[in-house]
Amino acid sequence: MSELARNAGYGRNKKLKAALLQHRAGTLEGLSERLFGLLFSGLVYPQIWEDPAVDIEAMEVSAGHRVVTIGSGGCNMLAYLSRAPEAIDVVDLNPHHVALNRLKLAAFRHLPSHADVSRFFGGNHATTNREAYSLFIEPMLDAQTRDYWNGRGAFGRRRVDVFSRNIYRTGLLGRFILLGHIVARLHGLNPREFVEARSLREQRHFFETRIAPLFDRPLIRWMTSRKASLFGLGIPPQQFDELASLSDDNSLAPVLKRRLEKLTCHFPLNDNYFAWQAFARRYPEKHEGMPPDYLRAAHYAAIRANAGRVRVHHASFTELLAGKPAGSVDRFVLLDAQDWMNESQINALWSEISRTATQGAIVIFRTAAERSILDGKLSPALLDLWTYERERSIELGMRDRSAIYGGFHIYRKRA
């Protein structure tokens, strides 16, 4: 065979091999996205993991504002009610989250007292919650929500019975935290010991001596280089690639280490219920720390009084806005939803946001990576309608107690 023929054959084989590798990568990517979608079809977040105190300050929420927000676990929506906005539209494509949001609103409106609300949502294994539901909440639910909570889950239990146990140990995120505890225990660390820290100095010492070394272990580096292993954190496949590119070995171990450092070292444990959920898998008792913002006694009366101002929709953000008049929304809360969107979806969303936004309207959202998801994806014509408050975004992002996200972003509609 001539040298020319050999080279031609080598070239064809090389192209065929490259095509096969590309096909395999595309197939694996497709499988990852389908698995991600399947996992997110059930209850994902019994508790939302965005800090409502940061949201409220960023949005400057006050009486008269009309807010549209993604629902998720519903904690933030309830916290916003403490500022008495005129109306809140809650949207979510996940029917489990829709049912949870409607139940929480009904509980605030119809349970007799703050103590009853705290007992119902505190996750403290209160068996009296069954009776409280039957007496005060169930008769006030719409038929669809009532059927959901009276229905039975995969193990034959009524769904509402989860409030007689600890709902925060369920859902995709609850099971992900459990998996993290199991892996840590296999390496000789009991995460629950962290909540015994009594100062920021002790919290820092625990992180540096007990938690940080775990991220050098081969098993953890291997696990954090697999996309599916982090679906429980809500990191979609496409966002995983961007975060992994920051590491030499395509692992998210360094990123997760930095996020855990913020969670454990930057905020006092008695004022960070996110850390309690991550390490103790529960909320703190009264003598241990503060509950979530929406369960604090100081906010109860306002939330109860304003709960009737909320409407919960089983719809997408773009779909809901498409049915609203121009200039009818003051505040938009996108959580991290754009991390899951492609360029076309982001532009469709912001087209409706820009149309329905009032002058001076504010949009907030979070991203797994540090930079804004709009960079290079949103059309210049739409982007020019908004001012990115970069410095304030960085400042408030540093104060987000959940510590799970890389970036917090604030955009204000230009005059």
Side-chain angles (χ1 to χ4, degrees), residues 331-351:
R331 302 292 184 264
F332 304 80
V333 186
L334 301 176
L335 305 186
D336 65 339
Q338 293 174 109
D339 278 1
W340 307 6
M341 296 181 181
N342 58 37
E343 188 171 322
S344 175
Q345 291 169 325
I346 289 174
N347 278 275
L349 170 64
W350 278 84
S351 178

Side-chain angles (χ1 to χ4, degrees), residues 126-255:
T127 56
T128 56
N129 285 343
R130 293 190 185 94
E131 289 71 30
Y133 170 79
S134 298
L135 286 173
F136 301 106
I137 301 175
E138 182 182 5
M140 303 301 175
L141 295 174
D142 62 274
Q144 186 178 16
T145 306
R146 184 168 59 248
D147 289 345
Y148 173 87
W149 289 108
N150 289 338
R152 299 190 179 273
F155 298 104
R157 292 172 169 173
R158 281 201 318 164
R159 289 192 179 98
V160 73
D161 288 346
V162 73
F163 293 101
S164 300
R165 304 191 304 275
N166 185 341
I167 186 175
Y168 306 107
R169 296 187 179 184
T170 65
L172 180 60
L173 183 59
R175 290 190 287 272
F176 177 85
I177 292 174
L178 172 61
L179 176 62
H181 277 236
I182 292 172
V183 172
R185 294 293 289 265
L186 289 174
H187 289 85
L189 169 65
N190 182 355
R192 295 176 189 274
E193 295 174 2
F194 173 71
V195 299
E196 297 173 7
R198 292 295 175 264
S199 66
L200 281 172
R201 176 178 294 181
E202 289 185 14
Q203 292 173 216
R204 167 69 67 178
H205 179 75
F206 189 95
F207 171 78
E208 292 180 348
T209 60
R210 307 291 301 282
I211 298 175
L214 292 179
F215 290 94
D216 296 324
R217 300 292 183 90
L219 174 62
I220 291 177
R221 296 194 74 86
W222 178 85
M223 289 181 64
T224 54
S225 66
R226 299 297 181 271
K227 295 180 182 180
S229 67
L230 296 174
F231 285 172
L233 279 178
I235 298 177
Q238 61 270 31
Q239 191 63 281
F240 180 98
D241 293 332
E242 181 173 349
L243 291 172
S245 67
L246 303 175
S247 170
D248 294 334
D249 59 357
N250 204 43
S251 168
L252 289 198
V255 176

Side-chain angles (χ1 to χ4, degrees), residues 249-327:
D249 59 357
N250 204 43
S251 168
L252 289 198
V255 176
L256 295 176
K257 181 179 177 181
R258 287 195 298 272
R259 306 279 165 90
L260 272 175
E261 180 185 13
K262 181 180 179 183
L263 180 66
T264 55
C265 303
H266 291 202
F267 312 98
L269 189 54
N270 62 5
D271 191 33
N272 190 2
Y273 60 91
F274 296 103
W276 279 89
Q277 284 288 10
F279 290 95
R281 301 180 67 213
R282 63 177 176 85
Y283 289 139
E285 301 290 346
K286 286 184 179 180
H287 66 279
E288 294 173 321
M290 296 295 291
D293 297 46
Y294 81 99
L295 290 180
R296 296 186 180 186
H299 298 157
Y300 169 72
I303 295 174
R304 182 185 177 95
N306 297 316
R309 303 181 182 188
V310 181
R311 291 191 300 166
V312 182
H313 311 266
H314 187 203
S316 73
F317 214 105
T318 307
E319 180 184 357
L320 180 81
L321 293 182
K324 284 188 170 293

Side-chain angles (χ1 to χ4, degrees), residues 47-52 54 233 259-260 262-264 267 271-275 278 366 396-406:
Q47 171 198 286
I48 200 167
W49 277 72
E50 286 86 2
D51 191 336
V54 168
L233 279 178
R259 306 279 165 90
L260 272 175
K262 181 180 179 183
L263 180 66
T264 55
F267 312 98
D271 191 33
N272 190 2
Y273 60 91
F274 296 103
R366 289 167 173 81
L396 290 178
M398 292 175 64
R399 288 159 48 190
D400 191 319
R401 293 168 293 175
S402 77
I404 197 173
Y405 295 102

